[in-house]
Amino acid sequence: MLKLGLEIGPVILFFIAYIKLKDQTFALNGRDYDGFILATAGFIPLILICTAILWKLTGKLSKMQIVTAVLITVFGGLSVWLNDDRFFKMKPTLIYLIFGGALGLGLLRGESWLQSVMGDVMPLKHEGWMIITRRLCAFFFGLAVLNEVIWRTQSTDIWVYFKTFGLTAAIFVFFMTQSKVLNAYAIEDGDTDGPAN
């Protein structure tokens, strides 16, 4: 529960900060900043602190967590520095493109890189991992396109709700809909399975 809180907590706090600050403008060093930019400025150190706590507690960080923290720092920092919210809104697109591209590269090599990340959590046969990986690869590319459409055509309010709740719900629903594959290719105790040759 603590790990989940450290991963989801910063997103919820960003949402709360945005809701409280969205209609306000703040003058700092002769420049006006809206509530979105200030919420973003607070989100960056918060995600870095939570990532550091996760590393301290578990002794490791996944590549996904590292990439996410780096992109939040870079694109969130650009949004604050340039006072332009577009950079932060583009961040989910790049994250999903990187994840989808990495999975796609593994698939081209006949491998499931998802298995190397989540194999201990969900023991599946190689065929099951390949099916899930293909679907997740397409799903990530779809989310990247959807994020671009939302932030470019909708208001900041709608994008924040979409980012906070829509993307999170979409990922949850995706894994819930994979239950048939997870059950069909689950490795029972005593089974052995390696990559297909």
Side-chain angles (χ1 to χ4, degrees), residues 23-38:
D23 296 324
Q24 301 180 47
T25 302
F26 302 85
L28 299 171
N29 295 326
R31 298 181 72 184
D32 290 338
Y33 296 89
D34 63 25
F36 182 90
I37 297 296
L38 286 190

Side-chain angles (χ1 to χ4, degrees), residues 29-30 74 107 119 143 158 161:
N29 295 326
V74 171
L107 288 170
L143 288 183
I158 290 175
Y161 278 95

Side-chain angles (χ1 to χ4, degrees), residues 5-19:
L6 289 170
E7 291 176 343
I8 296 178
V11 176
I12 300 300
L13 290 175
F14 168 80
F15 176 77
I16 293 170
Y18 171 74
I19 294 299

Side-chain angles (χ1 to χ4, degrees), residues 139 166-178:
F139 179 68
L167 290 177
T168 303
I171 292 170
F172 177 78
V173 169
F174 172 83
F175 280 102
M176 289 298 100
T177 59
Q178 304 310 306

Side-chain angles (χ1 to χ4, degrees), residues 76-88:
L78 284 171
S79 279
V80 174
W81 183 36
L82 300 174
N83 200 12
D84 187 340
D85 62 9
R86 292 176 296 177
F87 291 99
F88 193 65

Side-chain angles (χ1 to χ4, degrees), residues 86 89-90 146-154 159:
R86 292 176 296 177
K89 291 176 179 177
M90 280 188 266
L146 184 58
N147 184 67
E148 282 296 295
V149 171
I150 295 293
W151 84 259
R152 290 177 185 276
T153 64
Q154 304 300 314
W159 181 83

